[in-house]
Amino acid sequence: MESCYYVPIDRPSSEADAGYEYFQPTEATQSVWAATMQHGGPPSGLMMRALLHCDPGPAQRFTRVTTEILGPIGLGVNRIRAEVVRPGRQISLVTAELEVQQADGSFRPVARTHGWRLRTADTTTIVEEPEPLSPTPAELSPVRGVTGDQNLGVDWGTVGFIGSIECASLAGRVGDTPAVWVRPAIGLVGDEPISDLESIFSVIDIANGLGTRLRTDEWTWMNTDTTVHLTRIPTGPWVGIDADMVQGPDGFGATFGDLFDTSGFIGRSAQTVLLVER
């Protein structure tokens, strides 16, 4: 089994130094929808890594992160760079763009992430949030991959990215599918430690696959984006996802999820999904 999602590689000698980092995706990034592209999770984690490394400051933390998928994220050489587009002492905006090398050697943008950072302050006296998700992973029996657990809406198997994660299901409070604790079982980049936010953002993309009982042999429902609103600083590596997908009558829908770490509620996610009958 692969030990990470991305292997760092040297910048090609033909490329001008424009602040890019270069990576080779491993087979662990492979999507459930097609063997020729990456699942949306690892690229989201890689872009979160870029955001975290861009002009970091302890006085601010990420509070809203939106990832837009611009097209199929291929398995060729990936490159990424981030920049602060709105600096500020209390509020700042950081963006990261992921590009994939094409057959002719050129690079094409395939995804962008926008992360708002806010300054932190002590607001513990006014905390109001949903109840924690229980039981925690330590009290359950996590398994590798999103397997044929009869409680889950869909059996996603253990191929590619899905086989690189650990999951444990429990009773949910949103929709009619279970909540799921999930974390990557491998690293993000090479042998470097994966941070809590990198771990969480590497798996949140699967919410649209957890919150429905549609059959994969009858429908596809790929998401075009993922937006996460955080209400506190999360601690990983586990994230609890309690999701529900709403299928509309016009060929699209949306998945909404409540998010938790092992200490309690951390925020909500939203994804637009394209509904296609097979």
Side-chain angles (χ1 to χ4, degrees):
M1 177 173 175
E2 303 286 355
S3 61
C4 64
Y5 295 118
Y6 299 96
V7 176
I9 59 176
D10 293 335
R11 174 175 58 85
S13 57
S14 60
E15 295 294 326
D17 186 8
Y20 288 102
E21 289 185 280
Y22 289 77
F23 303 93
Q24 177 59 58
T26 69
E27 291 183 1
T29 65
Q30 182 181 312
S31 171
V32 297
W33 299 115
T36 57
M37 66 183 188
Q38 298 181 54
H39 189 280
S44 298
L46 189 66
M47 287 187 285
M48 171 51 70
R49 176 183 177 274
L51 295 183
L52 290 168
H53 288 190
C54 184
D55 190 28
Q60 293 185 348
R61 295 300 184 111
F62 286 101
T63 60
R64 195 219 72 182
V65 178
T66 295
T67 297
E68 312 279 2
I69 299 174
L70 307 179
I73 304 175
L75 295 168
V77 171
N78 287 197
R79 71 179 187 181
I80 190 170
R81 66 176 174 180
E83 63 177 331
V84 178
V85 296
R86 194 279 191 192
R89 290 191 301 271
Q90 294 201 88
I91 302 170
S92 61
L93 176 64
V94 189
T95 65
E97 183 168 271
L98 178 65
E99 300 180 351
V100 174
Q101 191 170 36
Q102 307 302 294
D104 63 0
S106 64
F107 283 85
R108 178 176 65 87
V110 291
R112 294 191 184 104
T113 289
H114 313 273
W116 283 100
R117 299 187 303 201
L118 302 185
R119 65 94 182 98
T120 58
D122 184 359
T123 51
T124 54
T125 59
I126 57 170
V127 169
E128 183 177 339
E129 59 190 19
E131 289 296 315
L133 192 60
S134 180
T136 65
E139 302 168 287
L140 297 168
S141 300
V143 297
R144 181 66 65 87
V146 185
T147 61
D149 183 333
Q150 63 180 1
N151 295 317
L152 295 176
V154 179
D155 177 5
W156 290 105
T158 57
V159 175
F161 170 71
I162 295 301
S164 75
I165 60 179
E166 294 180 327
C167 296
S169 64
L170 65 158
R173 302 191 289 251
V174 177
D176 65 351
T177 55
V180 178
W181 287 107
V182 59
R183 71 173 178 182
I186 63 175
L188 179 63
V189 171
D191 58 1
E192 70 180 42
I194 187 170
S195 73
D196 292 342
L197 276 180
E198 290 166 5
S199 177
I200 289 170
F201 275 83
S202 291
V203 296
I204 283 178
D205 183 87
I206 73 169
N208 71 310
L210 300 175
T212 182
R213 294 193 181 278
L214 290 178
R215 291 169 52 100
T216 55
D217 60 345
E218 296 177 351
W219 292 91
T220 64
W221 54 95
M222 288 190 294
N223 58 298
T224 60
D225 57 6
T226 299
T227 294
V228 176
H229 287 269
L230 296 172
T231 56
R232 67 173 173 84
I233 300 170
T235 57
W238 289 100
V239 59
I241 303 174
D242 192 1
D244 182 41
M245 189 171 84
V246 180
Q247 294 98 235
D250 299 308
F252 56 90
T255 299
F256 305 99
D258 283 359
L259 307 176
F260 302 82
D261 64 13
T262 54
S263 297
F265 184 79
I266 60 172
R268 291 193 169 101
S269 65
Q271 299 166 293
T272 304
V273 293
L274 177 68
L275 300 169
V276 179
E277 189 171 11
R278 288 190 184 275

